[in-house]
Amino acid sequence: MRRLKWGLILPAALLTLLAIHPQARAQELPDWVDRLKISGLAFGDYYWLGSHHDEDLEGRNGFWFRRIYLTFDFGLSEEIDFRLRFEAASPGDFESSSTISPFVKDAWVRWRGDLHSAIIGLSSTPTWDVPEGIWGYRNVEKTPLDLQKMGGSRDLGVALKGQFDEGGKVRYHAMIGNGSGTKGETNAGKKGMLALSAHPGEGFLFQVYGDFESRPGETDRTTIQGFAAWEGDDGRVGVQYAHQEREVEDGDDIDLDIFSIFGVARLSDRVSFLARYDRMFDPNPDAGTISYIPMDPTAKSNLLLAGFDFEVVDRFHLIPNIEVVFYDGVGGAEAPSTDVIPRVTFSTTF
C-alpha cells in the first residue's frame, strides 16, 4: 500500500512542478506540456454533532477533509482527450483512524465531435451530474440520491453525451457500466443509465432520468428521477423527485421515494445564502452508513440545510452552515432524536 501511495503521489508532484514552476516554464519544454492541464480542489469542515440519534456520536467534533482532488487532463489530439483524477478524503464513519489514502476517481478517454461525444473508461454517470451542477454546493452536501446511497457518481463502462440541435435545447447522457462504481466488477450484471434534458431558455432546465441495474440473484434495482430548475443572475432554485425499487431476495421488496427542493440567493458579489430541504418518504436501510452524517435507518427522515457562502478571496470560500435531520415516529413509537450538526466548511480550488 505504501508503494502504491508513493507511486501516485511522486509522479503527480513532479508533473505539477514541471507544468507550473516559472523556471521550468522559461526553458524549452516538450510539446506535450502545453497539452497538459493540472487542477484540483479540496474541501472539508470543522463539525460538531450537537445532537444525534446515536448517543455514542453526540458531542463529537473535529476537522476533516470530505474531498481532495488532483486532476490531469491531457489532449491527445484536437478531438481526443484523456483524464486521470485521484481522490482522497477522511473516512467520515466516526470509527476508522486510518490515514487519508488516494484512489483513482476518473480514468477515461473521450472523443469529441461537434454535437456528440463518446467516453470509455471510469467516468461520471448521468445519475446526478446535472442536479449537482445546478445545486453548486457539493462542498457543503451531496445531492439527495448521492447522499442516500441510491446510485453512484462514477462507473466503468461506455458513455455517450451530446445534444440533438445546434442550440443545445435537448441534450442526452447515456451509459452502460459495471454498476460497481470505482470498485472492481464482481458479477455478470451491468447497469444502464439514461438522462434526457430540455433547456428551453430563460434559465429553465428540465431533466428526466432512469436506470436499471442487474444484480446477483433477485436483487435488481430500478430508479427514475425528475428534476427541474431555474437559474438567474441573482440565484437559482431546483426541485427533484426520485423513486427507486429494490428487489430483495427471500424478503419484501423495498421502495424508496425522495423529494428535494433547494434555493441559492446571491446577496452580494462575494456572499450567497443557500438552503435545502430533503424528504425521505421511506426508511432507508443504508442510512446508517452515510459518511459524515449517519442517519437512522429505521425511520423516515427530513433534512434541513442552510448556510452562508463567503468568498474570502478568489477560489477560497468559508461557508458556515447547519444540517438538521428530524425523523418520523416508527410504528407508533417515539421518533428518534433529532440530529443537529453545525459546521464551518472551507473550500478551495486551483
Side-chain angles (χ1 to χ4, degrees):
M1 177 61 74
R2 182 170 297 177
R3 292 181 179 179
L4 175 61
K5 291 179 182 178
W6 285 109
L8 296 176
I9 294 171
L10 288 178
L14 291 173
L15 285 172
T16 302
L17 290 173
L18 180 62
I20 66 176
H21 195 279
Q23 293 181 356
R25 297 293 292 178
Q27 300 175 4
E28 191 70 26
L29 296 176
D31 293 340
W32 63 265
V33 174
D34 292 330
R35 291 182 279 138
L36 174 66
K37 177 184 176 183
I38 301 175
S39 60
L41 66 80
F43 59 78
D45 316 293
Y46 174 74
Y47 68 91
W48 174 47
L49 274 63
S51 173
H52 202 270
H53 69 274
D54 185 345
E55 294 181 355
D56 291 337
L57 298 183
E58 189 166 318
R60 297 280 188 97
N61 66 92
F63 295 90
W64 54 29
F65 276 109
R66 286 188 288 110
R67 176 165 291 181
I68 302 172
Y69 272 172
L70 181 61
T71 305
F72 300 88
D73 290 301
F74 186 74
L76 299 172
S77 70
E78 291 185 0
E79 296 180 334
I80 300 176
D81 61 342
F82 169 72
R83 167 171 288 185
L84 177 63
R85 170 177 285 168
F86 300 105
E87 178 180 331
S90 303
D93 59 4
F94 300 96
E95 295 180 358
S96 302
S97 59
S98 58
T99 57
I100 298 175
S101 300
F103 66 93
V104 176
K105 183 75 169 185
D106 290 304
W108 49 253
V109 176
R110 175 177 60 182
W111 169 85
R112 294 175 294 175
D114 293 335
L115 298 180
H116 309 278
S117 63
I119 303 170
I120 184 169
L122 182 62
S123 68
S124 61
T125 68
T127 312
W128 53 71
D129 58 344
V130 168
E132 184 172 276
I134 302 296
W135 163 233
Y137 281 104
R138 173 60 186 87
N139 51 9
V140 176
E141 192 51 86
K142 298 176 179 179
T143 50
L145 269 68
D146 190 5
L147 181 65
Q148 296 292 339
K149 296 181 173 291
M150 295 171 65
S153 66
R154 297 297 191 277
D155 208 353
L156 181 57
V158 178
L160 298 174
K161 298 179 67 174
Q163 56 195 55
F164 294 108
D165 60 297
E166 293 286 348
K169 291 186 178 298
V170 181
R171 306 174 192 178
Y172 71 93
H173 185 178
M175 186 173 190
I176 296 178
N178 288 334
S180 53
T182 57
K183 299 178 181 179
E185 173 67 291
T186 59
N187 60 73
K190 294 294 176 284
K191 185 175 183 178
M193 296 156 274
L194 175 63
L196 298 171
S197 60
H199 304 253
E202 303 296 332
F204 289 98
L205 177 150
F206 304 92
Q207 186 190 61
V208 292
Y209 166 85
D211 67 44
F212 175 76
E213 181 180 4
S214 176
R215 297 164 60 93
E218 297 181 0
T219 61
D220 296 345
R221 294 184 180 181
T222 304
T223 308
I224 57 174
Q225 174 181 259
F227 177 72
W230 172 84
E231 283 190 285
D233 294 336
D234 296 324
R236 55 193 181 272
V237 294
V239 179
Q240 184 177 0
Y241 189 91
H243 172 78
Q244 185 172 86
E245 297 179 0
R246 298 183 177 184
E247 291 184 350
V248 177
E249 194 168 23
D250 300 326
D252 295 332
D253 293 350
I254 297 174
D255 290 338
L256 298 178
D257 289 87
I258 188 168
F259 168 82
S260 178
I261 183 170
F262 68 81
V264 178
R266 180 178 293 275
L267 304 181
S268 69
D269 289 343
R270 291 189 178 271
V271 180
S272 296
F273 173 75
L274 56 139
R276 192 174 110 191
Y277 169 70
D278 295 353
R279 167 62 173 172
M280 195 74 198
F281 292 97
D282 309 283
N284 182 359
D286 297 328
T289 62
I290 296 175
S291 298
Y292 313 109
I293 179 173
M295 300 182 189
D296 193 302
T298 66
K300 303 174 183 179
S301 64
N302 303 270
L303 167 68
L304 288 174
L305 183 159
F308 288 92
D309 175 10
F310 297 94
E311 186 178 15
V312 181
V313 295
D314 290 347
R315 299 178 179 271
F316 178 69
H317 295 247
L318 287 177
I319 312 172
N321 62 92
I322 186 169
E323 292 186 307
V324 178
V325 183
F326 58 96
Y327 303 93
D328 293 3
V330 181
E334 185 177 352
S337 298
T338 300
D339 305 331
V340 180
I341 309 175
R343 304 180 303 180
V344 177
T345 298
F346 52 90
S347 177
T348 186
T349 61
F350 69 88

